[in-house]
Amino acid sequence: MAPVAAPAPTRTAGRLKPRRVQPFRALRALRRLIADKEDTAQVFEIMNALAGGSVRRGYHRMLEEAEGSRQAFLMVELADRLQDRAWLESLPPGSVGRAYLDFIDERNLSAYGLAGESRKVADTDIEAAHPYAWYARRLRDVHDLWHILTGYRTDALGEACVVAFSLPQTRSTGFGLIAAGVAVEAARARTGYPCARAILQAWRRGRRAAWLPGLDYEALMAEPLDQARARLGLGETTLYDQIPVEVRNTLLVAP
């Protein structure tokens, strides 16, 4: 989703203030994203504008779960782990981690690149030395792993499906706005394929699947991909799989 970038800057401590919901700011960013799906910074602009209390609620949900609370205690920075190519190459063939390595190599992506895009938002506090900011970074850094686990690729429809899947997983209104916007574009495009229904199905998959934010991702990376998908409730075929590749990128066009 983004090119290689420098590691995150030094984090400074501070008290994170509750975020005010800014719907008009989010709508403006959505229009820019619809015009250019490669403008990844607009995704983070929308997420910042509509985050509200979703990050705080998600972090406290982690604390209520055995594995989630352990991860919250460890506070591993996933971007640093995912940038460790030697570690990724040491993982077994067929594993989640090797699938991730193939994924980023094929697209010239990196975990630090995605982090760099998130820091382009003017009022972001995602790099703060605070548990809530750490949780927000965690959600940012697992995005490409969720592509791997869900089977959705990085075409326009695949990105919309991952976003729709992320809505029930994170309860962040920003994901809902993006998914709804692309679903409307899908309906307007009249491709003859179930693009809008694929996005709706992705949302339903997010509701039924295991809760992914609290997983032990370091352990997950060594697990066989098919086994991991089955364990997490993500092993089924999807409507997305039935849609030709050439159709999946016809959805995001200038309004």
Side-chain angles (χ1 to χ4, degrees):
M1 183 178 278
V4 175
T10 302
R11 298 185 177 99
T12 56
R15 178 178 177 272
L16 269 64
K17 298 178 181 178
R19 297 204 68 88
R20 179 170 58 89
V21 175
Q22 302 170 281
F24 294 110
R25 173 185 174 186
L27 287 170
R28 288 192 295 270
L30 178 64
R31 288 182 64 84
R32 292 192 290 269
L33 180 63
I34 288 174
D36 179 8
K37 84 176 187 70
E38 299 299 329
D39 189 0
T40 310
Q42 298 308 319
V43 173
F44 295 107
E45 183 78 9
I46 294 167
M47 301 310 295
N48 252 36
L50 298 180
S54 63
V55 169
R56 174 182 55 81
R57 290 191 298 269
Y59 178 77
H60 285 283
R61 178 173 177 178
M62 283 193 77
L63 298 183
E64 295 170 358
E65 300 190 353
E67 183 56 45
S69 61
R70 190 176 79 89
Q71 293 300 314
F73 173 77
L74 294 172
M75 292 188 74
V76 173
E77 293 290 346
L78 289 176
D80 294 338
R81 293 301 283 143
L82 294 174
Q83 197 70 21
D84 186 347
R85 187 175 185 90
W87 173 60
L88 294 174
E89 290 176 343
S90 74
L91 296 170
S95 65
V96 175
R98 290 294 285 273
Y100 172 77
L101 184 59
D102 291 342
F103 179 92
I104 61 173
D105 281 352
E106 179 184 337
R107 297 160 178 80
N108 192 30
L109 305 179
S110 80
Y112 284 163
L114 192 62
E117 290 295 301
S118 74
R119 294 195 293 271
K120 291 180 179 179
V121 179
D123 61 344
T124 184
D125 48 25
I126 198 168
E127 296 297 347
H130 190 284
Y132 295 167
W134 168 81
Y135 178 76
R137 292 192 295 274
R138 183 178 180 85
L139 294 182
R140 174 197 69 194
D141 297 338
V142 298
H143 175 82
D144 287 338
L145 282 174
W146 288 11
H147 272 287
I148 301 298
L149 294 171
T150 59
Y152 300 125
R153 297 178 69 81
T154 53
D155 48 70
L157 181 60
E159 291 288 1
C161 286
V162 170
V163 164
F165 175 89
S166 301
L167 173 58
Q169 290 279 319
T170 66
R171 303 294 179 91
S172 175
T173 309
F175 284 127
L177 177 65
I178 298 169
V182 181
V184 169
E185 289 297 313
R188 287 172 54 190
R190 297 185 181 182
T191 63
Y193 292 92
C195 297
R197 286 198 293 123
I199 297 171
L200 177 60
Q201 183 190 54
W203 172 75
R204 289 174 175 158
R205 292 181 79 200
R207 293 187 65 188
R208 294 193 301 263
W211 193 60
L212 304 190
L215 297 177
D216 180 348
Y217 279 93
E218 291 179 289
L220 176 71
M221 296 291 274
E223 190 173 345
L225 178 57
D226 290 344
Q227 177 181 308
R229 284 174 171 167
R231 178 172 64 84
L232 299 172
L234 294 169
E236 78 277 23
T237 57
T238 64
L239 290 172
Y240 170 85
D241 295 322
Q242 302 173 18
I243 298 171
V245 173
E246 61 271 18
V247 174
R248 296 174 187 167
N249 262 322
T250 63
L251 304 182
L252 295 183
V253 294

